[in-house]
Amino acid sequence: MAGAEKHYIMPRAEFDKPVKLAIVISPYYKDIADNMLAGAVAEIEAAGGTYDVVQVPGALEIPTAIGIAERMSNFDGYVALGCVIRGETTHYETVCNDSSRAIQMLGLQGLCIGNGILTVENRTQAEVRADPEDQNKGGGAAAAALHLVALGRKWGAQRKSVGFLPDAEEYKLAGELKDNPTA
C-alpha cells in the first residue's frame, strides 16, 4: 500500500514578499475535491500566502483555466486539483494523459504549477490521497507550487510573457547593447 511507505517532505517554502496562488479545482467528485482544497488552503496559509479558488467542470478544463488566469491575472503560481477515477472506457486515459500533458507544457513555459490531479483506480484510493490527515495530495500540490514560486524568485524577476522567447523589453535591451557596446 502506498500510504505505508515513508518519503521525504521538503521544508515549507518561505517568502519575504507576499505570494498569491490560484487554486483551480474540479469539484466533479465534490467530497474528494473539498478534502483536497482543505489541504491546499492549509498549506498556502501556513506559508503566509493568499489564494483565489476557481472551479471548472472537469480535469480537462484545469490547464485551460490556468492558461487564461496567467494571461489575464496576476497570480504567482497555480494549484491544479481534481480527481479522475478509472471507469469502463478509455476516457480515463484521455483525461489523465491530456490534463497532465497540458499542465506540464504550461510548466515548461515558466508557470509555477503544483499538479494535484489524482488519477486512481477506485474511490477508496482517491479518498485516502485526498484526506488532509492521510496522504494530503492537495497540500502537497500547494507545497509544490510554492516551492516553484520560491525557485523562480530566487533565480530572477518574473517575466510577463509566457514561453521561451524574451519579452519585447529584453529584445530592446539586447539591441541597445549591440548598437552601443559601452552601455
Side-chain angles (χ1 to χ4, degrees):
M1 172 183 252
E5 189 173 324
K6 297 290 182 196
H7 57 275
Y8 176 73
I9 297 175
M10 294 175 62
R12 183 169 284 125
E14 296 181 5
F15 300 93
D16 55 356
K17 292 185 236 170
V19 62
K20 182 178 180 184
L21 300 180
I23 301 172
V24 182
I25 187 168
S26 167
Y28 191 82
Y29 300 102
K30 184 134 176 38
D31 58 326
I32 293 167
D34 288 347
N35 270 342
M36 292 184 70
L37 180 60
V41 166
E43 183 63 28
I44 294 166
E45 289 177 347
T50 61
Y51 61 91
D52 284 349
V53 177
V54 178
Q55 290 190 2
V56 295
L60 286 175
E61 290 76 34
I62 292 171
T64 302
I66 290 171
I68 292 168
E70 179 65 16
R71 286 188 304 276
M72 304 180 84
S73 197
N74 64 340
F75 295 104
D76 297 301
Y78 304 90
V79 182
L81 299 179
C83 179
V84 185
I85 300 174
R86 185 179 296 279
E88 297 176 1
T89 69
T90 58
H91 185 64
Y92 171 84
E93 283 85 8
T94 298
V95 175
C96 294
N97 293 335
D98 290 354
S99 63
S100 179
R101 185 176 299 112
I103 288 171
Q104 186 66 27
M105 292 303 295
L106 290 168
L108 291 172
Q109 293 175 26
L111 280 68
C112 301
I113 306 171
N115 186 352
I117 300 177
L118 301 178
T119 55
V120 297
E121 297 295 321
N122 55 57
R123 175 171 267 284
T124 302
Q125 290 176 348
E127 290 168 350
V128 168
R129 285 161 177 75
D131 186 347
E133 301 301 318
D134 201 333
Q135 290 190 18
N136 192 20
K137 296 299 183 181
L146 290 164
H147 278 286
L148 290 171
V149 170
L151 186 62
R153 288 183 179 182
K154 174 183 175 182
W155 284 343
Q158 184 177 11
R159 294 171 51 167
K160 197 63 180 157
S161 69
V162 175
F164 298 105
L165 297 176
D167 288 334
E169 292 174 359
E170 292 176 87
Y171 276 125
K172 183 178 177 184
L173 179 61
E176 289 172 357
L177 290 174
K178 186 177 173 183
D179 294 338
N180 184 3
T182 61

